Amino acid sequence: PAPPAATDEPERTGDTPSPIDAAIDVAEQRGAPAGLVVLARVDLPADAIAGSVYLADAPLLFTDPNTLPTTVANRIDTLLPNGGEVIILGGPAAIHPDTQTAIEQAGHTTTRLSGPTRVETAIAIANDVLDRFGAPDDVGIARSHTITDDPTAAWADTVAAGGWAALTRTPILLNPTDEPHPAVAAWLDTNQPATRTVLGGTAAITPDTAEALGATRRVAGEDRSTTSIAIADQLINDTPTGYYLTSNTHPDGWTHALLAAGLTADTGQPLLTTPTTTLAPPINDATCRASDRMPVTILGPASVISHDVADALAQPCPESDG
């Protein structure tokens, strides 16, 4: 018999070169039914990773650290037509005070969550989550900085967990790779979450650091793509109706991954990640667990997830021997 015909290329969301515009697109799809919007800087991922905990309740928008783009200001007003709350992630160096003033002058309230470094900003977010939603049963522990020359290493393991944080309202704390940060250790000691989940492998958080922080489990694969599968299966849903997909090697990959966090909260479909120009074989396999390939929605333009990857996802799954 003839092989089954290839399907069309998967749908793309946020199909624009600008992460700021991609966030506006996804926010337009999702709306802000809780009267809440989250605003993060577009140039560094740490604050937005910690802020993913809000994204079941709010869309994520990005801004330039120094200037609020008119398109973003307009989208906030459209999302919150009667005024609402904008959570600003990070201190004045992350998002300029003038941005906060402009949002308030447009008729919205603001809550700025920040600390001296990204570690304390994540703790400020976790404390706000406690106030809003109550004490969590679990907390994520992710690397705060990269110790290699590859800036994507700082976020590649963690961003796939944004959907878990959003779905379950679980805070993600940021900690250095190779030693417990005193502020993180103190927060864990004070709040005593029953489960403490390290996100990523031992290159992200060393075994000694995990032990010192009282970690109860580690969710990781052999590399960043298989780590996204482990997070999807163990923390979100191992029998989903479909997946989101973005890049774990493109510098903008984290922005699209965190936009997926809110979509995961909406649909229950986890995020998988793959290199920009190749569909990692384990990702191909994960999308072929059913007899037919599962629906995959790509986040980002072809510069982030190439047409070659999209074409590979349009091919039929290999027939199993069973």
Side-chain angles (χ1 to χ4, degrees), residues 239-256:
T239 54
T241 55
Y243 288 105
Y244 299 101
L245 181 75
T246 198
S247 172
N248 56 31
T249 57
H250 190 281
D252 289 338
W254 69 268
T255 62
H256 297 283

Side-chain angles (χ1 to χ4, degrees), residues 40-252:
R41 67 189 297 174
V42 74
D43 58 327
L44 289 173
D47 297 343
I49 288 170
S52 60
V53 65
Y54 297 112
L55 299 184
D57 303 276
L60 173 65
L61 293 173
F62 292 118
T63 182
D64 178 273
N66 296 312
T67 325
L68 181 67
T70 305
T71 52
V72 178
N74 291 343
R75 178 56 57 193
I76 292 171
D77 292 342
T78 305
L79 289 164
L80 305 172
N82 302 311
E85 182 186 2
V86 179
I87 295 177
I88 296 174
L89 302 177
I95 295 181
H96 196 280
D98 288 353
T99 293
Q100 186 169 3
T101 301
I103 292 168
E104 290 170 352
Q105 288 176 344
H108 311 293
T109 60
T110 60
T111 302
R112 186 187 282 271
L113 300 172
S114 66
T117 74
R118 60 187 64 180
V119 173
E120 290 89 356
T121 291
I123 288 171
I125 291 166
N127 286 333
D128 182 71
V129 168
L130 259 69
D131 292 342
R132 287 175 195 264
F133 307 132
D137 296 325
D138 198 348
V139 65
I141 299 169
R143 78 194 302 176
S144 56
H145 299 76
T146 179
I147 51 175
T148 71
D149 293 334
D150 176 8
T152 65
W155 55 261
D157 279 347
T158 310
V159 288
W164 167 65
L167 262 174
T168 58
R169 292 174 170 163
T170 300
I172 295 178
L173 302 180
L174 304 178
N175 190 87
T177 294
D178 50 7
E179 61 181 357
H181 191 287
V184 174
W187 191 92
L188 291 168
D189 190 48
T190 299
N191 293 286
Q192 292 293 322
T195 309
R196 305 175 187 195
T197 303
V198 172
L199 301 167
T202 55
I205 298 285
T206 65
D208 286 349
T209 302
E211 183 179 357
L213 294 173
T216 57
R217 61 177 173 173
R218 182 188 292 272
V219 180
E222 295 176 2
D223 56 26
R224 30 183 91 174
S225 295
T226 52
T227 291
S228 75
I229 296 171
I231 288 169
D233 287 353
Q234 296 175 41
L235 297 181
I236 301 173
N237 188 345
D238 61 359
T239 54
T241 55
Y243 288 105
Y244 299 101
L245 181 75
T246 198
S247 172
N248 56 31
T249 57
H250 190 281
D252 289 338

Side-chain angles (χ1 to χ4, degrees), residues 305-318:
I305 286 290
S306 69
H307 289 299
D308 286 349
V309 172
D311 288 344
L313 287 166
Q315 303 308 311
C317 292

